[in-house]
Amino acid sequence: MVLPSSRSLEVLLLADEPTRSRVCAALALVPSRVSVVQTGAALMARVWERVPDLIIVGAVLERDAVAAVCRSVRQFLQTPILVVEAGASADERIGWLDGGADDVLALLASSPAELVARCHALLRRQQRQQRRDPAALRLQALNMQLDLVERRLHLPEKQVLDLSAAQVWLLALFFSYGERI
């Protein structure tokens, strides 16, 4: 298991039936908490509230909308995105990967254990990247440090503020592009 056993995997799932049932059944094999949304807009709203460990997008949207959802998430997060599909063309799968998806899985041709294994592989890849470049997960400006993983703002004089995901994203924009805003 990638995550500590005391913590369940937080998954945000954009899917309709029967994809929702298949994914939820597979994730029942591991400690997980799955939040289900029906639209790309609902997914983005939920991400603003709480950043999940993993996002799974069922290819239930218009084919171009799947890539648009991936691009929207990628503007702010590096959370792994797995697209699950049934019968998509190679061009569609390539478009989703180019749009920001980390992996695409043919749900009907795979087992629940494979879905779980791919989720774990995506999380391991993300953790390796974070270990390789931990400084990239902290931004500094004006004697303040913004920790993107812990969602904390470290102020001068040892003050620490806990932040919501929306606050972190907004501050990250200011920290990254402050001179141009």
Side-chain angles (χ1 to χ4, degrees):
M1 182 71 187
V2 175
L3 298 171
S5 59
S6 63
R7 183 169 167 250
S8 65
L9 177 66
E10 290 194 35
V11 178
L12 183 54
L13 172 62
L14 168 58
D16 61 3
E17 289 299 337
T19 301
R20 180 183 323 132
S21 295
R22 287 178 183 262
V23 170
C24 288
L27 292 175
L29 299 173
V30 295
S32 60
R33 189 169 44 240
V34 180
S35 299
V36 180
V37 294
Q38 304 288 326
T39 66
L43 181 137
M44 291 307 298
R46 187 68 60 90
V47 165
W48 278 98
E49 293 170 12
R50 183 172 183 87
V51 179
D53 297 314
L54 177 70
I55 296 171
I56 300 177
V57 178
V60 298
L61 306 169
E62 294 290 326
R63 297 300 187 184
D64 292 338
V66 172
V69 166
C70 293
R71 278 191 299 275
S72 294
V73 170
R74 284 289 168 254
Q75 286 182 322
F76 301 103
L77 292 174
Q78 293 304 311
T79 300
I81 302 170
L82 173 63
V83 176
V84 293
E85 58 83 22
S89 70
D91 287 341
E92 289 170 326
R93 292 189 304 272
I94 290 167
W96 299 333
L97 291 165
D98 287 344
D102 295 293
D103 198 2
V104 178
L105 176 65
L107 192 58
L108 297 177
S110 62
S111 70
E114 182 181 359
L115 186 140
V116 170
R118 284 180 185 251
C119 291
H120 286 165
L122 291 172
L123 293 168
R124 279 193 308 273
R125 189 178 310 144
Q126 180 190 39
Q127 287 176 343
R128 277 194 303 272
Q129 182 61 35
Q130 289 173 353
R131 279 193 301 268
R132 210 174 295 134
D133 191 10
L137 301 173
R138 289 185 209 95
L139 302 175
Q140 292 191 348
L142 303 172
N143 296 325
M144 296 181 288
Q145 183 180 46
L146 179 62
D147 187 321
L148 300 174
V149 173
E150 297 293 324
R151 293 190 350 204
R152 291 190 173 152
L153 178 63
H154 298 268
L155 300 170
E157 301 173 13
K158 308 276 186 201
Q159 277 187 297
V160 179
L161 301 175
D162 291 322
L163 304 171
S164 70
Q167 291 169 324
V168 169
W169 289 337
L170 186 57
L171 285 171
L173 287 173
F174 285 125
F175 274 53
S176 300
Y177 301 103
E179 308 89 42
R180 292 183 260 171
I181 294 178

